[in-house]
Amino acid sequence: MISLFLIVVSSLDLIALMSGNIKESVGVCQVYVPEPTAKGSEGLEIVIDSLRLSGGVNDFPYVKEGTYQCNVKYLPYSKIVIEFVKE
């Protein structure tokens, strides 16, 4: 059941990405970067108002933990960040 859910979400995000239906949010971002584990770096978490987004630490190595004014573009279903710009 979980696998089916992940396939559906991934498919919907792929369709949104290919059709240019990317979501964007601008505002005060609170960025949380977890400590690296033995398995490697975990993903970072970005909170804008009540919106919770995630992104790969390796995808955004310039993003440090803290609070910033930012512009974020993300996939609409999985809420994965594809672009992060500090303003």
Side-chain angles (χ1 to χ4, degrees):
M1 189 61 105
I2 293 173
S3 296
L4 179 60
F5 174 75
L6 294 174
I7 290 170
V8 169
V9 168
S10 297
S11 298
L12 291 171
D13 276 340
L14 181 60
I15 292 168
L17 183 62
M18 294 182 77
S19 66
N21 186 20
I22 303 301
K23 299 292 183 179
E24 184 173 1
S25 187
V26 177
V28 176
C29 299
Q30 294 176 326
V31 178
Y32 303 98
V33 180
E35 293 296 320
T37 63
K39 294 180 182 177
S41 296
E42 299 292 324
L44 56 89
E45 181 180 356
I46 301 167
V47 179
I48 304 173
D49 296 323
S50 62
L51 180 64
R52 292 176 117 37
L53 306 170
S54 63
V57 173
N58 295 334
D59 296 334
F60 305 101
Y62 56 90
V63 177
K64 305 296 181 207
E65 191 164 303
T67 302
Y68 309 99
Q69 184 70 26
C70 67
N71 182 341
V72 179
K73 293 183 181 177
Y74 60 95
L75 298 173
Y77 298 97
S78 63
K79 306 287 192 242
I80 294 175
V81 175
I82 57 174
E83 186 177 315
F84 183 94
V85 178
K86 291 193 292 186
E87 297 178 352

